[in-house]
Amino acid sequence: MSEPTTLDRLHEDRRVLRHFPLLGEPLPQPRLSVELFPPKSGPATETFFTEVARLAAVGPDHLTVTSGAGGGEQVEATFATVRELQERFGLPVAPHITAAAVDRRDVAALAERYTALGVTRVVALRGDSTDGIGQPYRPRPDGFAHASDLVRALAEAGRFDIGVGCYPEVHPESADAATDLAHLRTKVEAGASHLITQYCFDTDRILRFRDACHAAGIQAPIVPGIMPIHSFAQIRRFSGMCGATIPEWLAELFHGLDDQPELARMVATTVAAEQCRRLVAEGFDSLHLYALNRADLTLALCRLLGRRSLQLVPPDRMAAAA
């Protein structure tokens, strides 16, 4: 039998020392970012801003806005959404910029436009293939082959705090965990300042991922991505495409709840809150919430994390406030 490695010993130490906080136990207040995607036009737009107005009541530290792989129109939709969010709510907003959507020659100009808006933080991602999620990535003719190339261009073009994606369960296109960590290290060396994880329902795996990053010399702060489950059927489909695992215990919790949405929401809030509280107890000081443009589960989660002192305005009054 081979001798345990330093990383093996670190994993064992973490397992022994792991802390499972009790509900009500005082914990440090984490910084919270909330991820949104640009709304479609028409009635969806006002519904979007009504939901964001409700989210703003719990004082997220900043918002982020996603961008698709289609280029032109989607880049502009992200820009317009960032601008209007800042104007309406006065919150810092970080746009997503994807290698799949921008050409090399356009990055400096886009960075200047965001700087003019007062944006100081961006999220730089490779993005999905223009052929669809799960399809092999093909760079644009004048684009970036890797997220690290985009990070480097953004670092040269502006003074941004640059977040990048990372994968506790390994990127679905990576050969193995070591290769994935090597790519992540390259992004940090290119200028990334913090790492936002893909959602992962196995909290132990997030902790092991942090250990592996530290062992590999990657010291940038890790921000766990938290996915409140609005629809278990939807999250199962999406997880199959992005490589996230659905643990058996999670599937059992939602079994039989397809026609009981209220009960499903209660279960979803409990699952997300337990994961968040444990991550905070384990030393994470920032969390990234995938809100999917809906306020209810994120608001309930924030309450359970201790953001209870801010006044919550009823939804019917939020439309006028927005």
Side-chain angles (χ1 to χ4, degrees), residues 229-232 249-258 263-265 267-269 271:
I229 300 174
H230 294 85
S231 163
F232 188 72
W249 61 264
L250 186 62
E252 285 295 322
L253 283 178
F254 284 90
H255 179 69
L257 298 185
D258 292 347
L263 181 54
R265 281 194 287 270
V267 172
T269 302
V271 168

Side-chain angles (χ1 to χ4, degrees), residues 121-276:
R121 183 190 300 255
V122 298
V123 180
L125 306 167
R126 191 202 69 180
D128 298 318
S129 169
T130 54
D131 297 325
I133 297 175
Q135 298 301 313
Y137 177 74
R138 291 184 291 114
R140 301 169 69 86
D142 296 317
F144 301 96
H146 305 287
S148 56
D149 300 326
L150 173 61
V151 170
R152 189 172 293 107
L154 285 167
E156 293 171 354
R159 297 180 179 180
F160 294 120
D161 184 357
I162 303 173
V164 296
C166 59
Y167 299 82
E169 298 181 271
V170 181
H171 191 283
E173 296 177 33
S174 286
D176 51 43
T179 302
D180 207 31
L181 284 175
H183 287 311
L184 184 58
R185 187 187 304 111
T186 300
K187 289 191 281 189
V188 173
E189 291 169 351
S193 59
H194 61 283
L195 318 175
I196 304 170
T197 78
Q198 171 65 282
Y199 69 86
C200 175
F201 296 113
D202 183 345
T203 306
D204 281 342
R205 189 167 290 193
I206 298 173
L207 299 176
R208 291 195 298 270
F209 174 73
R210 178 177 63 179
D211 296 343
C213 284
H214 290 173
I218 300 170
Q219 298 300 323
I222 297 171
V223 183
I226 306 299
M227 177 67 82
I229 300 174
H230 294 85
S231 163
F232 188 72
Q234 180 187 58
I235 206 66
R236 186 191 287 278
R237 288 193 301 272
F238 186 70
S239 296
M241 294 185 288
C242 72
T245 300
I246 300 291
E248 185 176 346
W249 61 264
L250 186 62
E252 285 295 322
L253 283 178
F254 284 90
H255 179 69
L257 298 185
D258 292 347
D259 59 351
Q260 299 189 60
E262 291 296 331
L263 181 54
R265 281 194 287 270
M266 289 186 230
V267 172
T269 302
T270 302
V271 168
E274 181 173 293
Q275 181 173 43
C276 288

